[in-house]
Amino acid sequence: MTSAPVVPPRPAARLSPLLRLLILTQLAFNVGFFAVLPFLSAHLGQSVGMAGWLVGFVLGLRTFSQQGLFVVGGALSDRYGIRPVVLAGCVLRIAGFAWLGYAERTAAVIGAVLLIGFAAALFSPAVESEVARQAVVHEEAGGQRTRVLALFTVAGQAGAFVGPLLGALLLAVDFRAVCLAGAGIFVLVLAGHAWMLPQRIPGRQRVRLKHGWGTLIRNRRFLALCCAYGAYLLAYNQLYLALPDEVERATGSQSALAWLFALSSLLVVTAQLPVTRWVGSRLSLRRSMVAGLLLIGTGFAVVAVSRPADWTGTAGLVPSAGFVVLLTFGQMLVAPVARAWVPDLAEEGRLGLYTGALSSVSGLIVLLGSSVTGSLLDGRLPAVLPWLLLAAVPVAAVGLVPRR
């Protein structure tokens, strides 16, 4: 009896030059952006002299002009291709950072911040949609779609880690030097993309702007994915709302927050790819997203269960550290999967529109949900209850995850 011939394993597909460029783009985008953003509120309050409410308003405008308009940038990239949209976004970001460095009046600051936000609303959905499309091509060549999106996430997280370090060094000069350095990074990105980004990308169609919106609104599976992703983002946003309150309660200050944020970044940079590789061979996109949402819910439950003990000092930080670890591992499962899923749900030729809509719809959910969670944390509820209610958000979102 002859045995069947042994078929050698198919070699892992290598990343295309375009994918490598787009992943490095995400790294550069975040280095430039996070060199400036962490120091903006202090600059507005101390150097420009804005009241606290006005600082919050300006930061909210930046978020709205970015996340809220992602759908516009995505639609434009479908119509004109990613090259002109990315290049235009880089030009606007350079102008916005330079303007912010010299802005001394409220109107000028608002104008610069709106320009900075809208720049990202152009280039980010263009890049993200093409990465998602190229991830499908990579999968067809024998690679793993989610691995591509995981690499994209790692590059962004590495940029978010390096950027503040660069900004802190330059802040020794002044805030203007920080802004000009951020603008300089985008000058390099602009030059690199003008040289290396193809005029036409094979397989990418150009479609009219006015079509596609009705189909998107009627796409219940895609909207369900947006809502589930929005629940994840609302939970993730508690790193900036609920976690600071818990750390201050436990230690009397928020100084330990920097270490907890560093822990989250370090976990993503070091563990994202191994986690994606392990999960990708065992779980479907739906099961991976469900597992991530349940991990995030468990993170909130860890803090809720510990609150009656009222631990303080170093022991009081243990639940917070557990929350950060579980939230970060949940993020590793949810974020790449949600982006990888969009090409399966998007209308042909409308990947930019759908990628932008994922960010805009989920961003709106975060905007509305944050006011509710903020009132929960500020209220006179029993200490356990806000954390239990926050734990229920990602758990309830499991029911929204569409079935493939």
Side-chain angles (χ1 to χ4, degrees):
M1 182 177 178
T2 58
S3 59
V6 177
V7 179
R10 187 175 184 179
R14 293 187 176 183
L15 296 181
S16 66
L18 178 57
L19 264 178
R20 290 197 293 269
L21 172 65
L22 294 175
I23 289 169
L24 288 174
T25 295
Q26 181 70 354
L27 172 66
F29 281 169
N30 277 12
V31 170
F33 180 68
F34 284 99
V36 177
L37 184 67
F39 312 103
L40 178 57
S41 61
H43 169 73
L44 296 181
Q46 297 170 12
S47 301
V48 180
M50 288 185 177
W53 69 268
L54 188 54
V55 172
F57 176 72
V58 169
L59 295 179
L61 279 179
R62 186 209 62 79
T63 301
F64 171 77
S65 63
Q66 180 171 320
Q67 295 293 127
L69 298 178
F70 258 45
V71 67
V72 175
L76 289 174
S77 65
D78 287 338
R79 176 64 182 89
Y80 299 106
I82 72 166
R83 179 185 167 88
V85 177
V86 169
L87 296 183
C90 288
V91 169
L92 292 181
R93 178 56 65 87
I94 292 164
F97 275 159
W99 189 5
L100 182 63
Y102 288 90
E104 296 179 353
R105 295 181 180 274
T106 299
V109 169
I110 289 175
V113 164
L114 288 174
L115 205 57
I116 289 167
F118 184 61
L122 290 179
F123 57 64
S124 286
V127 169
E128 288 177 16
S129 64
E130 189 57 35
V131 168
R133 201 178 71 82
Q134 292 296 323
V136 175
V137 175
H138 182 75
E139 184 178 62
E140 291 169 351
Q144 221 182 55
R145 187 191 309 193
T146 50
R147 179 177 177 271
V148 173
L149 277 302
L151 279 168
F152 190 73
T153 300
V154 170
Q157 196 67 46
F161 184 75
V162 172
L165 300 178
L166 174 64
L169 288 174
L170 292 170
L171 202 62
V173 180
D174 58 14
F175 183 73
R176 182 174 297 169
V178 176
C179 290
L180 294 180
I185 290 171
F186 277 89
V187 168
L188 296 176
V189 172
L190 175 65
H193 282 69
W195 178 42
M196 300 176 67
L197 200 59
Q199 293 279 358
R200 285 190 174 275
I201 299 172
R204 181 142 195 158
Q205 305 176 30
R206 295 190 183 184
V207 294
R208 293 186 177 182
L209 284 173
K210 64 180 181 179
H211 300 304
W213 296 91
T215 307
L216 187 152
I217 293 170
R218 293 190 297 271
N219 191 331
R220 288 185 290 181
R221 295 179 69 224
F222 173 72
L223 293 178
L225 177 66
C226 290
C227 291
Y229 189 68
Y232 146 72
L233 282 180
L234 179 60
Y236 187 80
N237 201 49
Q238 302 314 309
L239 282 174
Y240 312 102
L241 279 176
L243 183 63
D245 282 355
E246 174 62 16
V247 168
E248 186 157 2
R249 180 206 65 80
T251 64
S253 76
Q254 295 188 6
S255 59
L257 274 177
W259 294 101
L260 293 173
F261 289 158
L263 172 63
S264 178
S265 296
L266 186 63
L267 282 173
V268 173
V269 172
T270 58
Q272 177 73 75
L273 291 178
V275 166
T276 300
R277 191 181 305 115
W278 188 88
V279 170
S281 61
R282 291 166 175 81
L283 299 178
S284 65
L285 294 181
R286 185 180 191 279
R287 288 181 176 177
S288 179
M289 193 162 184
V290 167
L293 290 169
L294 292 177
L295 275 177
I296 292 169
T298 304
F300 286 104
V302 165
V303 180
V305 168
S306 70
R307 282 307 302 266
D310 203 26
W311 294 336
T312 57
T314 303
L317 288 175
V318 172
S320 295
F323 165 71
V324 169
V325 169
L326 289 168
L327 183 69
T328 303
F329 275 101
Q331 173 198 7
M332 291 183 205
L333 296 179
V334 173
V337 163
R339 295 193 188 101
W341 208 336
V342 173
D344 293 341
L345 300 174
E347 182 186 358
E348 185 69 24
R350 302 284 180 184
L351 187 53
L353 173 64
Y354 278 71
T355 301
L358 178 69
S359 292
S360 292
V361 173
S362 56
L364 179 61
I365 291 171
V366 173
L367 180 63
L368 298 175
S370 292
S371 60
V372 176
T373 56
S375 63
L376 285 175
L377 295 167
D378 290 340
R380 299 181 179 274
L381 298 173
V384 175
L385 192 56
W387 287 89
L388 285 177
L389 292 173
L390 289 169
V393 171
V395 173
V398 168
L400 298 171
V401 180
R403 299 184 181 276
R404 289 200 82 189

